[in-house]
Amino acid sequence: MDAHSYNAALTELRTVRDEIKKARAALTKLEADRDQRIAQLAAYGKAKAERIAPAAGLSVADIVALAPALAPESLTAAETAPSPSEPAMPTADGSPAETAPEPAPRTGAAAPATAGKPSPPTVPPTPDSGAVDPGPARDRPAAQDAPRELPSIPEGPTGDSWFTHTPKLISQSPNFTQQARSTVFLDTDTGVLVHRQQTHHLDLGDASVAAILAAVFHVLPEGVERIYITAGDPWHRDADRYPYLRDAVAAWLNAPTPGWRTDTGRGRDRMAGHFVHARNPVGRYQRENGEAHVEIRSVGEWFDVDDADPATVRDAFVLLWQALRRHWDDAVIMGSPSQTGRDLWTRTIPQRGQHADGFPVLSEELRGLLHATAGQGRNELITPPRVPEQLPQLVEYDRTFAYAKHTWKSPVGTPRRITAATFAAWSEKEQQRALYGSGHWQVRVTVPDTWNHVGLLPAPAPGDRTWHYPAAPGTTFTTWAGGPEIHTALANPIQPWKIEILDGILWDDGKPLDDWAKKLKETWTNLTAQAHFHGDPQQARAAHLASRAVRSILLYGIGAFAQRPRMVTGTTPRAAERDVPPDAEIISFDDELITWQKPTGFSRDPNAHPEWAAAIWSGARAALLTQRHRDDNTYAGALHTAPGTVIAFRTDALYLTAPQHWPHHHQPGDYLLKGHLTHPVTAPTTEEELLALRDAGRAALAQTGGGA
């Protein structure tokens, strides 16, 4: 680009800027007009929020926020009714670390609680990872900024009744063979389609669903059941026409497809309808006058393709299948890593011995409590003045195949409630054994007055299912946490925190995931070695992608155990907007269709075990703080760095201002040097700035030949 082109581009950019300003002003005016009209409608004596919501393109909650008089009577009564006074309780997240922790020092040891506990609030459902991606949030009432209160277990017989299993809902070994599906791999940018050993070049036109199905079934008339999109992201073709990516995806999935309709499921396969996700959606279609069923999916569910062509991606799936078959002779690669992971796990359930009858599913109440109180990865950006505005360096360490390190022990059996009084009556040895076991605890936490490092325990932050990690000296908060994090708070290498036990859930220790995880770790090790030593660059690349797929099987398989409350999506013709369910949220609409979503609560899933996911996540978060390397007689983690040198946590990664000499033996959980900027940089203050520095650091390290 020369100076003339540069100046011309700047002029065009300013024009776009001005157009954006005009569009925003017009949108603001339209929204104000809409809100005024809603207020006018609310003045009508028989007005109902559920009638106004679809007409306005808002949820019922949004309408009530604008016109409180339209709140349902049941909700108003619930808000004004006095709640009984109840004593306080703990919070959750628990999974054992790799080695048994040493006894916690008596200083700062857990103490019983005597304070009163608030009445348990309602747990709002959130979208299931296998149903609907919520995407960017629309404007919400200001109440979202209020502190979030975690639920507690009710006192007395009501709370005690939670400690059971759901009748006739048990994880058991399957008595059928999973059926493979004929799969093709398609690059919608180039039109290259790979089916088995054959390559075809398609004319995809506008890359709509209709065009893709027509082109694929023209060259492969019968039998194709799954189409993986390896590149092109066709669901984003019209993204500039919609405020959110999810809206563009929903429009793409629901566009007219002559000869096809939305799939309604078949046989044992209950998966039906589309999965609206901003980047990895799933479209499910069925012939209008036939038995043909087909899915359109993104390979991005499994791994980042980068520049791999469809043939290499297909080879990766072949290598993955071959590697899994060494451990499961009936292994089948299903549509997603989470489906594949849980299917493989069910095939490791013992058919004789202690758990031959399977693993019962917890009561819906305990599953709801775990859903609301057990977060997943720690994502925290620490900004000035807690860190310098100018960082001397930025170093990224990522825990290799992290979750695989925390599957060796998990909760099993019927859970027991451990009240504050029960815990206080135990001996010190009994208390320590319980805290090191498989438990989920509600605790009142106090940060030491002289603390000068990062926070240790998650606390509820304003917003929906968001968490922060208080670190200010003297701060007191109530939360739920798992055994590994409680142990870290009591026995960390710097200073013990004060932990007051308010309530708890305690299980027996078991190994329901150990065999499954060991087989996946061996598969991952084998494919990683192939990627390193294979002489053919394409096969080496395919083996690397396959190893990343194994990681996804374990990672998303664990996430699937969490079984969040589900959201379903649906469409209603604009002419019949009164048929939109009253508790649905409008997520997009055009001249013909209204697309909505609504919560459906927990499904009767025989493989729902949020206690396992919570334990693993807690163990992984604790290992970000401190992790022992027994063979090297050393420790790694954030608490083994100088105060003020931790910049960010991002699920399994740590961002620091100085390199560390932590051991890396290519084992799950080891800290791998992933990126390094050796020059001073401005401290990031947003996630976007952090990710930009991350990418620059990885590129810089790759140029020097360091890291992986």
Side-chain angles (χ1 to χ4, degrees), residues 162-169 359-363 412-415 507:
W162 290 16
F163 288 76
T164 183
H165 294 108
T166 301
K168 299 181 181 180
L169 200 60
F359 297 94
V361 173
L362 293 176
S363 68
V412 295
T414 303
W507 291 266

Side-chain angles (χ1 to χ4, degrees), residues 398-646:
D398 187 71
R399 294 186 67 228
T400 302
F401 204 16
Y403 286 0
K405 187 179 178 67
H406 305 287
T407 55
W408 67 280
K409 184 177 76 172
S410 301
V412 295
T414 303
R416 293 175 289 152
R417 182 177 189 177
I418 309 301
T419 64
T422 301
F423 189 85
W426 284 349
S427 66
E428 180 181 352
K429 185 175 181 179
E430 289 174 318
Q431 290 180 354
Q432 291 174 352
R433 186 185 301 117
L435 293 177
Y436 302 155
S438 298
H440 193 62
W441 302 94
Q442 188 179 29
V443 290
R444 183 178 294 113
V445 183
T446 301
V447 182
D449 291 338
T450 57
W451 188 258
N452 66 344
H453 219 296
V454 298
L456 303 186
L457 292 172
D464 184 23
R465 288 188 60 80
T466 56
W467 303 87
H468 65 158
Y469 294 79
T475 302
T476 297
F477 58 95
T478 299
T479 189
W480 286 86
E485 291 168 292
I486 297 292
H487 169 251
T488 299
L490 291 170
N492 68 79
I494 299 174
Q495 182 181 9
W497 284 27
K498 181 182 177 182
I499 304 294
E500 187 180 4
I501 297 296
L502 306 177
D503 210 340
I505 310 168
L506 188 62
W507 291 266
D508 293 333
D509 294 337
K511 294 180 176 291
L513 303 177
D514 192 45
D515 185 35
W516 173 71
K518 282 180 177 177
K519 290 178 177 180
L520 289 177
K521 283 186 278 190
E522 290 177 16
T523 303
W524 172 79
T525 300
N526 177 272
L527 290 168
T528 301
Q530 286 189 54
H532 186 71
F533 294 110
H534 207 293
D536 184 337
Q538 179 172 330
Q539 288 301 300
R541 176 64 175 156
H544 170 71
L545 295 178
S547 72
R548 300 299 291 172
V550 175
R551 175 186 177 275
S552 296
I553 288 173
L554 186 134
L555 176 69
Y556 295 117
I558 291 169
F561 285 124
Q563 199 234 9
R564 297 174 176 88
R566 297 181 65 87
M567 286 283 221
V568 297
T569 56
T571 58
T572 301
R574 281 293 294 268
E577 66 179 35
R578 295 179 63 175
D579 295 335
V580 174
D583 55 345
E585 177 188 3
I586 308 299
I587 58 176
S588 67
F589 55 87
D590 55 28
D591 292 338
E592 297 181 358
L593 291 175
I594 298 172
T595 303
W596 47 265
Q597 68 180 25
K598 59 175 290 187
T600 60
F602 291 104
S603 63
R604 282 188 59 83
D605 183 351
N607 297 320
H609 292 285
E611 68 276 20
W612 298 348
I616 292 168
W617 294 339
S618 178
R621 289 194 300 271
L624 279 176
L625 298 169
T626 179
Q627 172 177 286
R628 184 185 177 192
H629 290 264
R630 181 182 297 175
D631 294 341
D632 300 274
N633 193 28
T634 188
Y635 291 84
L639 295 181
H640 302 280
T641 66
T645 60
V646 179

